[in-house]
Amino acid sequence: MVEQKKVVIIGGGISGLTAAYYLQKDKREKQLPLDIKLYEASGHLGGKIETVKRDGFTIERGPDSFLERKKSAGRLAREVGLEDQMVPNGTGQAYILVKEKLHKMPSGSFMGVPTRIRPFLFSSLFSPAGKARAAMDLVKSKKQIEHDQSLGLFFRRRLGNQVVENLIEPLLSGIYAGDIDELSLQSTFPNFYDLEQEYGSLIKGLRKTVSKPPKNKPKPSMFRTFENGLSSLVEAVEEQLSPGVVQVNTGVDHIERKGDTYHLLLSDGTADKADAVIIAAPYFAAQRMLSQYEFMNKLKEMKATSVANVAMAFDAAAISKDIDGTGFVVSRNSKFRITACTWTHKKWPHSTPEGKVMLRCYVGKPDDQEVVNLTDEEITEIALHDLSQIMDINTQPDFSVVTRWHDSMPQYAVGHKDRLQEVTDHLERELPGIYLAGGSYRGIGLPDCIDQGEVAVEQVLKQLKL
Ligand code: FAD
């Protein structure tokens, strides 16, 4: 009889679910002798993906979409039968709030770096001196940095402080909820460094490499979700897993190597054994499970910031001064406490009933972490107060949904890639068959997490010689 190999996946967020899905797919298609188990500490799958339905609204508590350009999320969605439910985002005007005023995002900018000169020249976001400084990117010599540098340092050197503070920083903080002067270029946008090295200029490099949208055609939509929200993906993947694979309300507290087998101590006091383990849980959970290994302390050097958001539902009539756009991000030099706002009814019209409006505001700057612990009412009040400075909202929301995500945004600080490499090298040598996957490690976007789940499956199958 062929010996069964047991693979345990720890964490039922999108990374762990992807791993379970592709493992099971390989098991079915190649008749592999695999026994698969996924342990999830909380009572439900999805991790940061959580959609709620209320009064006809589809509300996301965590991520609201995925980048279509990165192929793995769309591929997974199609595999689990969600192709017909995929919805592109509405592509209205996006804004940046700088010093209490909304400015249009200059068209043709890619993560804040201009690819077209005219919209940038006419943008109200920058002074003539700021624009002249940004144009220096075209002539400024490149700088080779052997390892890593902060996003802030890199972009300030290329484009100057003003473009960084009024455009790049608010956009990047919207993704990483971190300090641009601490975040690693190598672990977030390594291609910008490559562009600098290859073309000597980010603007020139992007103009050469980014395809121009056809003239007089509407802006292409870059993001996708599903008619019934992102939780559809979680549910559809779960449906594909065989009964008994998933066990919720069961955390893995400790992992011990005994010969070629791993013994796992579970939060319900029982134990399990595995030939290979995919840890698809955040870095601090991974460190705790393997706390007897000193090399895992490297992960303790990581930090994660906390964020919260409030989705507020209104009657359309309650907004007497509306703005034509899909939302805005806030620059640090503004007095606003919210960091961004999505006009969800415009970005995702399918999510809001006719005649209604849904505004979703985010709080939790790196230097304003205490806001996350305020009450629901206080967070809603902060959002309404900030919004009232740019829109006329004449009533309280019909209802609001506040979500707090503690230690949810892993910070890829300068040197992250090297630190992670050190940990994975040790794992390979000392704990072969244990792999890390997920938002804490090699990319926080949903497609990045899906990629990591897929890669972990390949590594496991190779390790088990299957
Ligand atoms: P998680 O979703 O964190 O899942 C990890 C799971 O492991 C959790 O379910 C947890 O309970 C479980 N776990 C932890 N410890 C243990 C243990 N000891 N034993 C067993 N289980 C354990 N990305 C996008 O692409 N688009 C967006 O629009 C977007 N918006 C975001 C908005 C917010 C508010 C946040 C917080 C994130 C957003 N992201 C977005 C990032 C993205 O949501 C995450 O990076 C991604 O969901 C992480 O998935 P994961 O599976 O790696 O981790």
Side-chain angles (χ1 to χ4, degrees):
M1 209 174 99
V2 192
E3 195 198 348
Q4 285 270 325
K5 296 282 184 188
K6 171 103 177 225
V7 182
V8 166
I9 298 157
I10 305 175
I14 195 63
S15 309
L17 281 169
T18 302
Y21 171 77
Y22 283 110
L23 258 185
Q24 186 168 294
K25 187 177 171 206
D26 278 335
K27 173 182 166 169
R28 269 196 204 127
E29 290 178 355
K30 300 179 195 156
Q31 305 280 312
L32 300 179
L34 277 177
D35 178 11
I36 306 162
K37 189 84 198 174
L38 184 153
Y39 290 112
E40 165 54 46
S42 76
H44 61 91
L45 294 178
K48 293 183 179 93
I49 299 178
E50 207 180 323
T51 310
V52 290
K53 296 271 191 182
R54 186 160 164 187
D55 298 353
F57 290 86
T58 302
I59 302 162
E60 299 291 357
R61 286 180 173 277
D64 75 354
S65 55
F66 57 87
L67 251 184
E68 198 258 348
R69 178 167 52 84
K70 298 187 173 180
K71 297 294 171 207
S72 57
R75 188 171 62 234
L76 178 63
R78 276 187 288 277
E79 287 211 19
V80 296
L82 288 179
E83 177 150 27
D84 297 346
Q85 294 187 35
M86 247 190 276
V87 190
N89 62 292
T91 56
Q93 179 65 50
Y95 292 86
I96 316 260
L97 190 120
V98 176
K99 298 198 176 118
E100 289 72 55
K101 195 168 166 280
L102 285 178
H103 301 261
K104 288 184 177 171
M105 182 102 67
S107 54
S109 59
F110 186 83
M111 279 331 291
V113 179
T115 60
R116 285 165 49 203
I117 306 298
R118 269 180 74 86
F120 207 77
L121 271 183
F122 290 105
S123 171
S124 59
L125 269 171
F126 321 108
S127 67
K131 290 172 189 170
R133 174 60 186 84
M136 296 274 293
D137 170 69
L138 295 164
V139 291
K140 212 170 164 46
S141 57
K142 62 186 178 190
K143 190 167 179 183
Q144 260 178 336
I145 305 272
E146 209 163 295
H147 282 280
D148 201 0
Q149 56 190 309
S150 76
L151 282 169
L153 193 75
F154 175 76
F155 284 119
R156 283 179 214 284
R157 186 162 52 73
R158 295 280 0 145
L159 298 156
N161 279 339
Q162 211 178 83
V163 171
V164 168
E165 270 155 38
N166 293 359
L167 184 56
I168 296 179
E169 196 277 337
L171 285 173
L172 294 182
S173 306
I175 303 172
Y176 290 99
D179 184 338
I180 187 172
D181 290 309
E182 288 181 12
L183 287 172
S184 149
L185 178 68
Q186 201 180 41
S187 294
T188 55
F189 292 99
N191 1 359
F192 278 120
Y193 180 72
D194 297 342
L195 284 179
E196 184 198 31
Q197 295 308 307
E198 192 170 344
Y199 299 94
S201 147
L202 301 183
I203 300 175
K204 280 186 203 161
L206 280 182
R207 283 165 71 90
K208 288 248 162 64
T209 53
V210 172
S211 50
K212 283 195 190 102
K215 271 198 176 142
N216 307 324
K217 284 253 171 80
K219 214 163 72 174
S221 54
M222 288 162 57
F223 300 97
R224 298 287 183 274
T225 183
F226 305 101
E227 265 161 31
N228 286 308
L230 282 176
S231 284
S232 311
L233 181 60
V234 174
E235 287 152 19
V237 172
E238 188 185 1
E239 271 171 29
Q240 301 287 323
L241 301 177
S242 301
V245 166
V246 170
Q247 187 168 326
V248 293
N249 291 315
T250 313
V252 174
D253 288 344
H254 189 67
I255 307 174
E256 195 79 48
R257 181 178 177 183
K258 292 196 176 152
D260 287 341
T261 310
Y262 292 102
H263 289 226
L264 294 94
L265 190 64
L266 308 179
S267 58
D268 61 5
T270 62
D272 200 357
K273 286 183 192 169
D275 299 293
V277 180
I278 298 174
I279 304 183
Y283 69 92
F284 42 83
Q287 190 277 329
R288 277 200 295 265
M289 286 172 221
L290 294 166
S291 57
Q292 72 275 35
Y293 293 94
E294 208 175 302
F295 68 83
M296 289 298 283
N297 284 343
K298 268 274 152 217
L299 292 183
K300 276 187 169 173
E301 291 171 23
M302 278 186 80
K303 282 190 292 190
T305 50
S306 301
V307 290
N309 61 74
V310 52
M312 297 176 290
F314 297 93
D315 217 69
I319 318 284
S320 47
K321 184 176 142 202
D322 197 4
I323 293 156
D324 178 27
T326 50
F328 63 90
V329 289
V330 179
S331 77
R332 290 279 149 84
N333 50 25
S334 309
K335 288 200 195 85
F336 275 40
R337 211 162 169 194
I338 59 171
T339 54
C341 175
T342 309
W343 288 304
T344 309
H345 56 295
K346 292 184 180 172
K347 187 175 175 193
W348 304 110
H350 71 281
S351 70
T352 309
E354 210 42 49
K356 299 284 179 184
V357 161
M358 169 68 63
L359 305 177
R360 188 175 178 217
C361 292
Y362 306 78
V363 291
K365 295 180 194 174
D367 60 358
D368 184 23
Q369 291 284 284
E370 60 280 8
V371 69
V372 176
N373 295 319
L374 297 180
T375 63
D376 285 8
E377 291 70 28
E378 285 167 327
I379 291 175
T380 309
E381 199 44 52
I382 286 169
L384 286 172
H385 170 266
D386 281 356
L387 288 181
S388 71
Q389 300 186 48
I390 49 164
M391 304 168 78
D392 284 339
I393 303 179
N394 52 36
T395 55
Q396 286 292 309
D398 293 344
F399 70 85
S400 54
V401 175
V402 174
T403 309
R404 293 171 191 75
W405 292 104
H406 289 284
D407 299 327
S408 59
M409 303 297 285
Q411 300 294 297
Y412 297 170
V414 174
H416 175 79
K417 200 172 166 200
D418 289 347
R419 276 191 292 278
L420 188 62
Q421 192 59 50
E422 209 180 308
V423 173
T424 44
D425 286 348
H426 273 283
L427 281 174
E428 207 179 312
R429 282 196 304 271
E430 297 172 45
L431 302 171
I434 298 195
Y435 302 97
L436 300 172
S440 287
Y441 312 105
R442 293 178 198 86
I444 64 162
L446 296 172
D448 303 309
C449 293
I450 291 170
D451 284 337
Q452 292 176 66
E454 287 188 53
V455 168
V457 168
E458 285 166 21
Q459 290 171 318
V460 162
L461 295 179
K462 193 166 166 220
Q463 170 69 20
L464 297 179
K465 301 194 173 57
L466 291 173

